Amino acid sequence: LEVVMESESAGLDLVHYIRETLKNATIRIILRTGQPGQAPERRVISDFDINDYKHKSELTAQKLFTAMTTALRSYRDIRTLESTRNGLEAVIDAMASIFQQRSLEKFATGVLEQLVALLELSPHAFYGQFGAVATSAGDGDFRVIAGTGDYQSLVGRDINSSLPAHVVDMVRRALETRSSQSAAGDYVGYIESKDGNKNLLFVRGEHLTQIENDSLIQIFFRNVSIAFENLHLQTELLREIDVRKLRERENIELARLPEEAPMPVLRISQDGDLLFANSASAPLISEWAVQIGDRTPNAVRTAVEYAFAAARPTEFELAYGDRMLEAIITPVPPAGYANLYCKDVTEEKQARAELEHLATHDPLTALPNRTLFLAQLRAEMNDARRNDRAIGVSVLDLDEFRLVD
């Protein structure tokens, strides 16, 4: 943009209109002027979000090419940052209610958005499972669980009626051969989890070389699979409760906590006393240093009190040693106690932490990357404005650094 067009400040006015009125913070803008000093360069740089400011006398073809290339790269980095942020927000938001089907789909979509952004893949992708807990009971079809771009509307649908024939063929070949498939630039990644779930990731168009070996994709499948296992566990527990309620017409089913359950299951009185604990709870109650009849820790008593006050199941987290549990407290007011069901989510949290670290750090040097730098710089700038102070940025240029392999 010219600084001086219809008026002396028309160019700056247009920048202000783009940023403030249109709310477009991503597009990069290069200002140029033929009258050095017409708009002081320092004031322009500090007051306006622009990519560069050039005088016509210095704007050679080579410098114009350099400025344009830098602006395009900045635009790409900002878009990647936005996509990563949106994905993280969706994941964090969904984790608050991870046992709900809608939240699980939102969780999977958020992680998928992060994945395609971090790997610089096409934004048109979907993830699904075949005959697993994510599909309906007894359903042997492959169903889409998460989608981005053109595939967002496919969530929960069967691929036979939702996708082009060549994509359906690629998915079927991947399931039959239990291997990843590539055709005409499209890619289907296949991974079978330890519990036998068949996971597929489809990316349309250009993709990175050796994508099927990328650790991020492995983390994605593991992260989403753990979430759906949580859903399956809660669904089975609730189904068992409903069946016994119907048969016995009272809360006897809650008094028969499954000793053989692989996860900790406890019963706690309304006053916070430990009434029952199955064998899988041994490490947890050992950490608490309590026995049957003793008071449970304050955090547990508080959760029980809240569940009774709210008269509904309450979710919270428990930690012991190096393990993290996701817990649901179900109050039984007529009996004066609550049942506590736990699920170990340690690996899930580790996977999410690894994914977040990869999003903000260089994989070669493990140093903070551009994404983290921009976020920290923005925070410092905001703090400087609030406290009326100045900040500085030092730039260190390492020659031939791109040759580091």
Side-chain angles (χ1 to χ4, degrees):
L1 293 177
E2 283 279 4
V3 173
V4 178
M5 294 190 290
E6 294 85 354
S7 65
E8 291 186 356
S9 63
L12 300 180
D13 292 340
L14 179 55
V15 175
H16 185 271
Y17 178 79
I18 292 172
R19 296 291 188 241
E20 301 299 327
T21 304
L22 300 182
K23 303 297 182 182
N24 190 330
T26 56
I27 188 172
R28 298 294 84 202
I29 300 174
I30 299 175
L31 285 174
R32 71 170 188 170
T33 180
Q35 305 176 39
Q38 183 70 27
E41 184 172 346
R42 287 187 179 181
R43 186 180 68 80
V44 171
I45 294 296
S46 62
D47 293 351
F48 296 91
D49 178 16
I50 62 174
N51 209 71
D52 210 342
Y53 183 89
K54 295 290 187 183
H55 299 154
K56 289 183 180 179
S57 60
E58 66 176 357
L59 199 58
T60 63
Q62 181 60 39
K63 289 186 177 181
L64 176 61
F65 174 81
T66 300
M68 293 292 291
T69 301
T70 302
L72 289 171
R73 287 175 178 170
S74 298
Y75 176 77
R76 182 194 62 189
D77 291 341
I78 291 174
R79 291 298 299 271
T80 300
L81 177 62
E82 284 189 341
S83 179
T84 300
R85 185 187 68 240
N86 292 337
L88 280 172
E89 287 176 351
V91 171
I92 294 171
D93 190 37
M95 289 305 294
S97 52
I98 197 65
F99 287 144
Q100 300 176 12
Q101 181 67 33
R102 180 183 298 178
S103 294
L104 272 173
E105 291 170 354
K106 186 178 180 182
F107 167 79
T109 299
V111 179
L112 181 57
E113 288 176 350
Q114 276 193 277
L115 182 69
V116 297
L118 291 172
L119 295 182
E120 299 182 356
L121 304 176
S122 162
H124 309 291
F126 66 79
Y127 161 77
Q129 287 185 343
F130 178 83
V133 295
T135 59
S136 302
D139 189 353
D141 294 329
F142 175 85
R143 290 188 179 275
V144 177
I145 297 170
T148 62
D150 293 343
Y151 299 114
Q152 284 183 329
S153 62
L154 300 183
V155 174
R157 297 167 62 183
D158 181 274
I159 62 167
N160 294 306
S161 59
S162 310
L163 296 173
H166 78 282
V167 177
V168 176
D169 289 340
M170 289 181 66
V171 170
R172 287 177 176 170
R173 287 199 305 272
L175 290 172
E176 291 172 357
T177 62
R178 297 188 176 186
S179 62
S180 301
Q181 302 289 321
S182 297
D186 293 340
Y187 169 79
V188 172
Y190 174 91
I191 290 184
E192 187 168 335
S193 57
K194 293 181 180 179
D195 55 6
N197 291 345
K198 299 176 181 179
N199 301 273
L200 290 180
L201 171 68
F202 173 84
V203 180
R204 191 177 76 191
E206 296 292 332
H207 60 269
L208 298 179
T209 305
Q210 300 298 326
I211 183 175
E212 57 270 21
N213 295 324
D214 199 289
S215 60
L216 280 177
I217 295 180
Q218 303 287 336
I219 294 172
F220 169 78
F221 281 132
R222 181 174 55 174
N223 215 343
V224 177
S225 292
I226 290 174
F228 279 109
E229 288 171 6
N230 288 343
L231 172 67
H232 182 58
L233 171 63
Q234 193 216 23
T235 300
E236 290 301 313
L237 287 173
L238 293 179
R239 183 180 295 118
E240 177 69 14
I241 291 172
D242 290 339
V243 168
R244 294 191 179 186
K245 277 184 177 180
L246 181 63
R247 186 176 64 244
E248 301 175 18
R249 298 181 180 275
E250 55 183 302
N251 292 319
I252 298 178
E253 74 285 358
L254 295 175
R256 298 177 180 173
L257 298 176
E259 176 61 29
E260 68 278 11
M263 77 294 292
V265 180
L266 306 93
R267 176 179 296 158
I268 301 170
S269 73
Q270 190 168 354
D271 295 329
D273 297 331
L274 182 63
L275 303 178
F276 174 87
N278 69 344
S279 57
S281 305
L284 183 60
I285 61 176
S286 175
E287 177 83 4
W288 295 346
V290 301
Q291 297 179 350
I292 302 299
D294 292 344
R295 280 282 218 191
T296 54
N298 183 62
V300 179
R301 297 200 305 272
T302 301
V304 171
E305 181 180 353
Y306 178 85
F308 274 95
R312 58 179 173 81
T314 300
E315 302 171 17
F316 70 107
E317 289 187 344
L318 284 173
Y320 71 95
D322 61 348
R323 311 303 295 177
M324 179 63 69
L325 301 177
E326 202 159 51
I328 298 180
I329 288 184
T330 303
V332 189
Y337 58 72
N339 290 316
L340 176 62
Y341 303 91
C342 300
K343 170 66 176 178
D344 194 326
V345 294
T346 306
E347 285 72 25
E348 175 188 344
K349 287 187 172 293
Q350 290 174 346
R352 186 165 69 255
E354 185 178 358
L355 186 64
E356 292 174 355
H357 183 271
L358 288 171
T360 56
H361 290 78
D362 178 74
L364 178 62
T365 64
L367 295 173
N369 62 12
R370 181 188 295 271
T371 298
L372 185 55
F373 166 74
L374 292 175
Q376 292 178 337
L377 178 61
R378 186 175 294 106
E380 287 292 331
M381 292 174 64
N382 291 336
D383 183 73
R385 292 190 187 98
R386 287 193 298 268
N387 297 288
D388 193 25
R389 64 180 179 85
I391 62 172
V393 177
S394 298
V395 179
L396 176 64
D397 186 21
L398 300 180
D399 293 338
E400 309 300 332
F401 183 73
R402 289 181 175 276
L403 298 181
V404 177
D405 196 354

